[in-house]
Amino acid sequence: MRIGIVVDSGCDLPAEYIQRHNITLLPITARIGDAVLADHRDEQATLAFLNSQVAERAAEAETTPFSVQQIRDLFLDKLVIDYDHVFCLTISSTRSAVYANAMQASFAILNDYKPARHAAGHNSPFALRVIDSQNLFSAQAVSASEAVRLRDQGLNLQQIRERLDYLIPHVHGYLVPRDLYYMRARARHKGDRSVSLFSAALGSALDIKPVIHSRAGQTAPTAKIKGFEPACERLFAFARSRINAGLLTPTLCVSYGGELAELHQLPGYAQLQAECKNHGVELLETVMSLTGMINVGKGAMTLAFADDKAPLFH
């Protein structure tokens, strides 16, 4: 059984990891004025974007996921030939149309795949499961990396499906933004009034940073801490405590809206790296996706893990 795994470019997995495990990407495209940028999880291209004049207008970007037709074509041209079963794990359906498009495309794919497979010499059925990760950024990466781990361990389809169904509601993602004014501008552009001018101004004036928790399709502030670095340090300490208590998967994912050298210099990060190593937890760190940075701003940090006993960070 050849099992393929598909994610969209909002999934914060390292580019090297994506390539090594043959994960297929559904790119999300951003239009900023006359500039059109496709997010292919190219870290150098993302960093180059951050230093460009175009980035100054990122809050005004229009993002477009792979269309139903594009997803259908990708599967029928390649994936139904290369694999017998595909798990497609998308960014939260509450935040993007990727899941809806993939679900709609799946009906056409399952109706139309036979000629392509037969022409390639495959007479067995093809199966596709579209899964809403109910999360985003590094938290989506936790679910995707677990799918990779289970596949590589040789688990069967039913075991992988059941494990992912149990895991996804227990994935906790955390975001620490740097620039509340940017987040407010981005939210207003998208018609989301959840970040008011007053709260953005007050938070910036006092250097108060919210820590935003995401789980099961919902996002909400879970703490407010003075200073970006202290907020990250407290979050890293919380993650270490959860590693000690025992995670659901041997993986912790981190993404950063800039050079990883800056992430490595944040207080408490070296201790988090050491804690992961001591407990056999794989730390997957990456430059945040272009899609992510457009939505939450340069210099933001996200962290995620799976834990069915985790108390809320506060």
Side-chain angles (χ1 to χ4, degrees), residues 27-204:
I28 295 173
T29 301
R31 180 184 294 276
I32 307 173
D34 294 331
V36 179
L37 309 166
D39 187 356
H40 292 284
R41 298 291 305 148
D42 183 328
E43 295 178 4
Q44 293 307 311
T46 300
L47 292 172
F49 162 78
L50 287 181
N51 297 317
S52 69
Q53 290 185 335
V54 176
E56 296 174 4
R57 299 176 57 195
E60 305 168 12
E62 300 293 341
T63 55
T64 306
F66 238 37
S67 68
V68 173
Q69 186 66 41
Q70 286 173 311
I71 295 172
R72 175 190 177 277
D73 291 347
L74 173 64
F75 271 82
L76 295 182
D77 291 346
K78 178 175 174 57
L79 297 181
V80 302
I81 297 169
D82 292 348
Y83 300 105
D84 305 310
H85 188 104
V86 170
F87 290 98
C88 178
L89 291 98
T90 75
I91 193 169
S92 175
S93 60
T94 62
R95 292 287 172 174
S96 171
V98 176
Y99 175 77
N101 289 356
M103 281 297 295
Q104 187 175 343
S106 70
F107 301 119
I109 294 163
L110 294 176
N111 280 333
D112 300 339
Y113 75 80
K114 289 183 180 179
R117 276 182 71 83
H118 288 168
H122 302 302
N123 296 317
S124 58
F126 173 80
L128 164 64
R129 185 175 179 86
V130 180
I131 299 174
D132 180 358
S133 76
Q134 302 177 24
N135 230 308
L136 57 168
F137 309 135
S138 56
Q140 183 185 353
V142 171
S143 299
S145 63
E146 182 65 0
V148 169
R149 191 178 74 88
L150 297 174
R151 178 194 65 183
D152 293 352
Q153 284 187 342
L155 272 68
N156 63 41
L157 295 175
Q158 182 65 23
Q159 290 171 317
I160 296 174
R161 285 198 297 265
E162 290 178 354
R163 180 62 175 169
L164 292 177
D165 286 345
Y166 176 77
L167 176 75
I168 284 173
H170 297 297
V171 176
H172 297 263
Y174 297 89
L175 162 69
V176 184
R178 278 193 190 266
D179 187 344
L180 294 183
Y181 278 116
Y182 179 91
M183 287 195 69
R184 175 184 176 274
R186 180 62 183 163
R188 289 196 65 181
H189 182 77
K190 296 173 67 177
D192 181 352
R193 304 293 176 177
S194 59
V195 183
S196 71
L197 175 60
F198 177 77
S199 63
L202 181 63
S204 296

Side-chain angles (χ1 to χ4, degrees), residues 13-32:
L13 282 170
E16 180 275 332
Y17 183 96
I18 291 172
Q19 295 166 3
R20 175 160 44 95
H21 292 286
N22 296 314
I23 298 173
T24 300
L25 197 69
L26 303 178
I28 295 173
T29 301
R31 180 184 294 276
I32 307 173

Side-chain angles (χ1 to χ4, degrees), residues 214-286:
S214 60
R215 175 176 175 264
Q218 302 296 317
T219 57
T222 187
K224 294 181 180 180
I225 300 170
K226 184 174 175 59
F228 177 80
E229 291 191 355
C232 291
E233 186 173 21
R234 279 183 52 182
L235 185 55
F236 295 150
F238 175 71
R240 295 202 311 271
S241 73
R242 302 319 307 160
I243 292 169
N244 271 297
L247 301 178
L248 275 178
T249 73
T251 311
L252 188 141
C253 298
V254 179
S255 68
Y256 182 72
E259 297 276 0
L260 290 183
E262 297 175 12
L263 171 68
H264 297 159
Q265 294 302 312
L266 290 175
Y269 192 72
Q271 292 91 324
L272 178 62
Q273 290 175 307
E275 201 74 37
C276 287
K277 184 176 181 180
N278 291 339
H279 287 80
V281 172
E282 184 177 19
L283 177 57
L284 295 175
E285 58 179 31
T286 183

